[in-house]
Amino acid sequence: MTGRRDERLDTDFAPGRPVPLRAIIGSLRRGAGDPTWLQTGEGIWRACVTPEGPVSMLLRVDRTGVGDRVVARAHGPGSSWMLARLPSLLGADDPAHEFVPHHDVIAEAFAQQRDWRLGRTGLVIDALVPAIIEQRVTGKQAFGGYRMLVRRFGSPAPGPAADLGLRTPPSADGWAKIPSWEWLRAGVDAQRADTIMRAMRVAHALEKCADLPREEAWKRLRSVPGIGVWTTAEVAQRALGDADAVSFGDYHVAKDIGYALTGRPVDDLQLAELLKPYAGHRYRVQYLVNAAGLNRPRRGPRLSLPTHLPSRM
């Protein structure tokens, strides 16, 4: 049974350690103007669509003597579903204790980020649609298109943050009903829009990936034409909490990790070899390189390059 749109529920999560909230959930934000994300004096609001309906959730951190306590307040029919998964969202399922750094720079970065955990939302479509929109374009282009579509076809979020502009994205049915010309208007070409339409036709099966073994989940996601290694990894990082989901095919990732670990950029094949000792935690290395600012220096004027390579979608 789903709850009422005006329903409010509260809970908290106290793992006995500091919780860097923004770092843990920051990858869920799609650009500075993401309508599903709002930071206020109360904390961080996020809106999404769960299997039980839309929800908005406010998260704030209370500092205690034995670690942080994350206080959560949720509004809408999806409140119970979302709050039941709060520990997972904040990384309770992340096997960070199993990680063994094999490079000094990674060991140092891991020590600096010792309280970071990889969370999982359990919401595949929530992660999949923006990931497809981000294929073969710059982040600025992708974020602008997603922002336009959510503002136009999403809904005011349940609860008081709707008055501040917080919106839920469309449901799978809502995405499927967007006309072709509206995708083009948002800067999403026919190839990416068609991929989203194919995915929405099997959205129910794709959402079940959150409960499948890793290999089966990856296979199911990649069975949709237009969804390849890069897109699957982006979904797996957010929805499945997959610490091994390195973003092969990204324009920067291989070059940056290669530079951090060897002093020179590498390609995807070289990256796969370089990361073999980190099997099971390859995405964690990717995160640590970025979080520690170990990326290769950018030289020359900024170019309008895609964020990842078209052959690896």
Side-chain angles (χ1 to χ4, degrees):
M1 177 189 292
T2 59
R4 304 184 313 274
R5 186 170 178 84
D6 61 350
E7 180 178 7
R8 169 182 167 173
L9 294 176
D10 300 83
T11 192
D12 61 65
F13 173 63
R17 57 173 171 79
V19 179
L21 179 62
R22 181 66 179 266
I24 291 173
I25 68 171
S27 68
L28 305 181
R29 187 187 192 195
R30 304 290 181 160
D34 185 350
T36 71
W37 174 289
L38 184 66
Q39 188 156 2
T40 70
E42 292 183 281
I44 297 174
W45 285 94
R46 186 169 188 269
C48 55
V49 178
T50 76
E52 295 183 0
V55 63
S56 67
M57 182 168 64
L58 173 66
L59 298 173
R60 77 168 195 272
V61 177
D62 287 347
R63 310 296 179 188
T64 70
V66 293
D68 292 340
R69 182 172 71 103
V70 180
V71 179
R73 186 177 92 203
H75 300 263
S79 295
S80 295
W81 190 96
M82 181 60 72
L83 292 186
R85 289 158 178 79
L86 179 64
S88 293
L89 176 68
L90 298 177
D93 304 324
D94 180 18
H97 62 282
E98 298 175 359
F99 180 65
V100 178
H102 294 276
H103 296 80
D104 289 343
V105 292
I106 298 300
E108 183 177 349
F110 187 54
Q112 292 172 351
Q113 300 289 328
R114 63 185 180 276
D115 297 314
W116 179 80
R117 298 293 185 274
L118 178 59
R120 66 188 306 269
T121 67
L123 296 171
V124 172
I125 300 304
D126 183 73
L128 177 60
V129 172
I132 295 172
I133 291 174
E134 291 169 17
Q135 292 177 354
R136 303 185 309 277
V137 296
T138 64
K140 181 179 180 180
Q141 291 169 318
F143 298 153
Y146 180 71
R147 180 171 63 245
M148 180 183 295
L149 291 164
V150 172
R151 286 179 176 168
R152 185 164 176 79
F153 297 102
S155 302
D163 294 336
L164 302 176
L166 189 70
R167 296 181 69 79
T168 57
S171 64
D173 287 343
W175 285 117
K177 292 176 182 177
I178 296 177
S180 58
W181 60 86
E182 293 288 358
W183 292 103
L184 292 173
R185 183 182 177 190
V188 181
D189 60 40
Q191 185 175 354
R192 287 177 289 153
D194 288 348
T195 297
I196 292 172
M197 293 300 102
R198 287 190 291 269
M200 295 308 100
R201 286 195 286 270
V202 292
H204 182 68
L206 294 180
E207 283 289 15
K208 291 183 178 180
C209 289
D211 300 316
L212 295 178
R214 182 184 190 273
E215 295 305 320
E216 190 173 345
W218 275 67
K219 181 179 180 180
R220 183 173 295 192
L221 282 163
R222 294 198 61 192
S223 70
V224 178
I227 297 178
V229 173
W230 183 89
T231 305
T232 301
E234 293 291 305
V235 173
Q237 293 159 14
R238 295 165 174 83
L240 312 182
D242 187 345
D244 202 44
V246 65
S247 299
F248 288 112
D250 192 279
Y251 185 80
H252 297 293
V253 167
K255 297 179 178 68
D256 286 344
I257 297 177
Y259 180 84
L261 301 189
T262 71
R264 60 179 178 81
V266 301
D267 60 23
D268 274 357
L269 291 177
Q270 293 168 320
L271 178 63
E273 188 67 26
L274 191 59
L275 291 181
K276 277 186 177 179
Y278 293 101
H281 295 270
R282 294 179 299 172
Y283 171 66
R284 195 181 311 280
V285 175
Q286 177 183 325
Y287 172 83
L288 290 172
V289 166
N290 186 62
L294 300 174
N295 316 71
R296 75 194 191 286
R298 304 292 195 264
R299 296 184 176 87
R302 181 180 295 273
L303 301 177
S304 296
L305 294 171
T307 56
H308 33 273
L309 306 176
S311 62
R312 299 298 188 98
M313 295 304 101

